[in-house]
Amino acid sequence: MSEEGKERSLNFIEEIVERDLENSIHAGRVLTRFPPEPNGYLHIGHAKSICLNFGLARKYGGGTNLRFDDTNPVTEDTEYVDSIKNDVKWLGFDWVNEFYASDYFDELYAFARQLIRDGLAYVDDSTSEEMALLKGTPAVPGKDSPYRSRTVEENMDLFERMAAGEFPEGSRVLRAKIDMASSNMLMRDPIIYRIKFAEHHRTGDKWKVYPMYDFAHGQSDSIEHITHSICTLEFVSHRELYDWFIAKLGIFPSKQYEFARLNMTYTVMSKRKLLQLVNEKHVSGWDDPRMPTISGMRRRGYTPKSIRDFAERIGVQKRDNLIDVSLLEFFVREDLNRVAIRVMAVFEPLKVVITNWPEDKTEVCRVENNPEDPESGYREINFGKEIYIEAGDFMEEPPAKYFRLKPGGAVRLKGAYIIQCDEVIKADDGRITELRCSYIENSKSGEDVSGMKVKGVIHWVNAAEAAEAEVRLYDRLFKAENPAAEEGDFKDFINENSLTVVKALVEPSLLKASPENKYQFIRNGYFVADPDSQPPHKLIFNKTVGLKDSWK
Ligand code: ATP
Ligand code: MG
């Protein structure tokens, strides 16, 4: 058992796995699968499922298959397949096999014929309206379709001709013959195959009939000898059907277990809705840093570890719930605190001239890259006669206990000297344009023998070499805590002010910032270089998260 596993009690799925291992079910083997439908990019909910499936296999010495559930030819695309593989790897997981449900079309077709042969499936020519009418309601038993009593031979002939493309779309379906009075509506002769003349992204135009989800999913699990097939709660009522197909076909007994979907505040979590945001250009793409997609979070500067830690912390629930996004941000902050290089960036520059500093002198200051990580070392930054500080770090008429810069007051410049404000220069309109300060000799950080005590430390950049950067500040994409649960269209709750673009002056070390490099802009927050950034010509940073923890 891993170290992580020892710290907390088992979740209910781990209990099931351990019980199965004790009873030597499946000869002590654990094989899980992650089965995305390649019809969109993965989001944080999928990340939860990935961490669960791959995490279980890792913990119990098993493996995980990546299976693309590509049985619906209409919505799927290889762009999505590639992004999904990328995202799973980025999260830190490896699959033992890459499979496609479409690889099983031949076997699934054979399974359907087997059911027909055993008198357990029939071709129905009813329209969908007629079928719906006969289906009944949870309180009222359904009625048999007039086609339910077709002979095996007739069913076999019709199904083969459906597959050969002889009938138009929607004219006939193949249904399992189960129980039109079942209390489980899904057991009232569910459709298992439909006619579709669509080009499939892998099988082309070979097939004119496609299996329904319920007929493909469990059998795919069984074909792969999946031991624990974990899915979300909306499939609880499908379990009976899952077991029925496996039992009637007499194939490997995979078992389905359900857990609660992850929902998070201030976002939406369905691929269909996320696709709308992309198509209607509310965001710049699937990887927009405001999106709850894995690629969006990556571009935002989230780390794989922070997402894995979040998934571990929220655990596995049996009831639907809404998780506060600030919990995720908490783990992001925690991991970035460990790994991010501390740098200086000034957002509202106020010029400071050090009057007693020699005209052309520059002096090297050594600053720690990351005090949380002794191995990260130091870097050198130049101090000179003109610098910029944050306009907000100066107050002409400060309140008591103001420890930043004020007229006649002193403050330490991070990694450099203590300076004292001697004179405030203003434009005609009264705006402060410049501060004239003097530095205190012998007060350099690390070698300070000035004997002067100052309480405030502020950040700065050297005017001679500061670089300009575009900084993208993000707020929540939605104004409502749970936009999907609100009345009306979820898009009515989009926060129009979720992106603000500002300029900043940054220290020259950032001219080397490659996309995805992570930084703490000290006293401000965590930032990441955007893929649009072209150092050293064009610098673009995304704000990942602020320094302060708002999670209670
Ligand atoms: P969506 O509703 O967002 O389109 P989906 O369930 O249709 O999601 P799939 O590609 O079918 O997406 O899902 C792949 C796997 O990820 C499934 O096992 C599914 O249960 C799981 N999954 C999807 N969304 C969530 C979520 N919000 N929380 C936990 N697991 C999820
Ligand atoms: Mg799905």
Side-chain angles (χ1 to χ4, degrees):
M1 194 189 288
S2 74
E3 279 310 305
E4 278 173 12
K6 280 180 194 154
E7 285 167 18
R8 52 159 180 77
S9 55
L10 299 180
N11 66 47
F12 76 92
I13 295 181
E14 290 167 332
E15 280 172 8
I16 290 166
V17 173
E18 296 207 355
R19 188 197 61 206
D20 288 352
L21 289 175
E22 268 164 37
N23 296 325
S24 293
I25 311 264
H26 309 306
R29 207 172 47 86
V30 175
L31 182 63
T32 59
R33 87 287 172 267
F34 175 64
E37 191 178 338
N39 61 350
Y41 281 59
L42 298 182
H43 52 59
I44 182 76
H46 294 113
K48 164 80 213 158
S49 170
I50 291 167
C51 291
L52 178 60
N53 279 296
F54 284 85
L56 269 181
R58 190 174 275 180
K59 181 168 175 181
Y60 296 105
T64 305
N65 288 346
L66 175 61
R67 182 200 314 141
F68 291 99
D69 214 325
D70 59 350
T71 48
N72 180 2
V74 187
T75 53
E76 294 149 7
D77 200 309
T78 39
E79 177 199 345
Y80 297 136
V81 169
D82 294 339
S83 78
I84 289 169
K85 290 200 273 185
N86 223 0
D87 288 348
V88 175
K89 276 193 217 141
W90 179 77
L91 271 179
F93 297 108
D94 260 318
W95 48 92
V96 284
N97 297 294
E98 174 184 335
F99 289 137
Y100 293 79
S102 58
D103 292 342
Y104 310 137
F105 281 165
D106 284 307
E107 274 157 294
L108 295 170
Y109 182 70
F111 286 151
R113 290 167 42 95
Q114 182 182 337
L115 290 185
I116 295 174
R117 220 177 297 122
D118 294 343
L120 294 172
Y122 62 97
V123 173
D124 196 330
D125 305 354
S126 310
T127 63
S128 44
E129 293 74 28
E130 287 163 348
M131 274 190 267
L133 275 177
L134 290 175
K135 193 139 201 186
T137 67
V140 179
K143 293 200 186 83
D144 287 0
S145 156
Y147 304 96
R148 200 176 198 260
S149 49
R150 276 179 162 153
T151 63
V152 168
E153 291 67 32
E154 194 182 356
N155 282 319
M156 195 64 91
D157 174 62
L158 287 171
F159 184 53
E160 284 172 357
R161 289 166 60 197
M162 280 167 64
E166 285 186 30
F167 308 122
E169 271 188 27
S171 60
R172 291 187 160 88
V173 293
L174 183 69
R175 297 177 73 175
K177 196 183 213 172
I178 308 181
D179 177 6
M180 287 307 288
S182 173
S183 57
N184 181 349
M185 296 293 286
L186 291 172
M187 299 297 280
R188 295 188 185 175
D189 292 8
I191 298 173
I192 58 180
Y193 261 93
R194 65 206 191 288
I195 301 171
K196 218 162 216 173
F197 294 103
E199 181 83 9
H200 188 278
H201 76 120
R202 282 172 64 87
T203 58
D205 60 3
K206 174 177 175 193
W207 292 94
K208 317 290 184 236
V209 289
Y210 288 93
M212 302 298 286
Y213 174 89
D214 282 318
F215 195 68
H217 198 87
Q219 284 87 309
S220 300
D221 286 342
S222 180
I223 290 168
E224 294 175 18
H225 288 202
I226 298 297
T227 58
H228 300 82
S229 174
I230 300 158
C231 62
T232 43
L233 284 180
E234 67 272 26
F235 291 101
V236 167
S237 57
H238 296 244
R239 194 194 319 131
E240 195 179 354
L241 189 50
Y242 181 105
D243 291 339
W244 190 89
F245 286 132
I246 285 179
K248 297 299 174 197
L249 292 167
I251 54 180
F252 181 85
S254 299
K255 285 272 174 217
Q256 174 185 300
Y257 303 97
E258 309 87 11
F259 73 103
R261 291 178 89 80
L262 166 65
N263 296 300
M264 215 164 56
T265 54
Y266 300 103
T267 191
V268 292
M269 202 87 91
S270 100
K271 281 180 283 191
R272 197 175 48 79
K273 293 197 174 77
L274 296 174
L275 180 63
Q276 276 183 58
L277 295 176
V278 174
N279 285 345
E280 296 170 24
K281 307 227 178 324
H282 297 288
V283 293
S284 64
W286 283 100
D287 69 344
D288 186 297
R290 291 164 293 181
M291 290 280 271
T293 51
I294 296 179
S295 52
M297 293 188 290
R298 172 181 183 167
R299 188 165 179 182
R300 179 79 175 256
Y302 288 17
T303 60
K305 181 176 178 350
S306 59
I307 296 173
R308 292 195 306 263
D309 288 350
F310 168 72
E312 170 78 18
R313 166 67 177 71
I314 56 177
V316 188
Q317 270 93 35
K318 281 188 186 172
R319 248 191 239 168
D320 279 318
N321 50 24
L322 185 65
I323 302 281
D324 191 335
V325 63
S326 50
L327 179 61
L328 174 58
E329 291 170 350
F330 168 85
F331 285 104
V332 171
R333 204 177 280 114
E334 191 173 75
D335 195 34
L336 289 176
N337 182 43
R338 230 171 28 87
V339 300
I341 303 291
R342 274 56 171 172
V343 296
M344 296 200 275
V346 171
F347 283 76
E348 278 182 81
L350 172 58
K351 190 177 187 181
V352 172
V353 178
I354 317 288
T355 48
N356 60 341
W357 189 266
E359 198 61 47
D360 292 320
K361 182 178 172 188
T362 46
E363 187 174 319
V364 171
C365 301
R366 258 161 57 93
V367 292
E368 258 181 308
N369 280 325
N370 182 357
E372 300 290 323
D373 175 12
E375 304 211 332
S376 67
Y378 289 81
R379 75 182 178 290
E380 295 183 337
I381 52 176
N382 291 329
F383 183 71
K385 190 168 180 73
E386 281 187 13
I387 62 168
Y388 290 106
I389 65 168
E390 215 60 80
D393 282 335
F394 174 78
M395 265 184 107
E396 202 171 12
E397 286 165 42
K401 298 209 173 159
Y402 183 79
F403 298 122
R404 289 170 283 163
L405 203 54
K406 58 188 172 192
V411 76
R412 171 171 299 283
L413 296 173
K414 172 83 183 167
Y417 289 93
I418 297 173
I419 58 168
Q420 185 174 300
C421 178
D422 306 318
E423 195 185 346
V424 181
I425 312 288
K426 293 182 181 172
D428 291 340
D429 60 4
R431 205 167 30 92
I432 299 172
T433 54
E434 183 181 314
L435 301 178
R436 304 215 156 204
C437 297
S438 43
Y439 83 104
I440 310 300
E441 272 181 66
N442 301 327
S443 71
K444 194 174 179 185
S445 268
E447 48 199 71
D448 181 1
V449 289
S450 68
M452 227 173 129
K453 294 263 176 294
V454 292
K455 282 209 169 127
V457 181
I458 63 173
H459 60 274
W460 55 279
V461 291
N462 186 16
E465 53 186 359
E468 198 170 276
E470 173 182 323
V471 183
R472 300 174 180 170
L473 308 173
Y474 300 101
D475 196 355
R476 306 188 151 139
L477 191 50
F478 289 93
K479 289 177 285 199
E481 199 176 51
N482 192 359
E486 294 283 342
E487 251 179 67
D489 188 352
F490 75 100
K491 284 174 290 170
D492 295 344
F493 300 90
I494 289 179
N495 172 11
E496 289 83 14
N497 304 314
S498 58
L499 169 62
T500 313
V501 181
V502 299
K503 293 267 181 256
L505 288 174
V506 300
E507 61 167 83
S509 72
L510 289 176
L511 289 168
K512 295 197 298 268
S514 310
E516 293 198 27
N517 281 6
K518 295 172 177 64
Y519 301 95
Q520 184 193 95
F521 288 3
I522 62 170
R523 302 178 58 225
N524 190 325
Y526 293 100
F527 292 79
V528 64
D530 189 81
D532 287 347
S533 206
Q534 290 162 9
H537 312 290
K538 188 167 102 183
L539 298 180
I540 303 174
F541 294 94
N542 295 319
K543 183 166 185 174
T544 309
V545 66
L547 290 179
K548 277 216 198 72
D549 177 8
S550 57
W551 185 64
K552 287 159 222 96

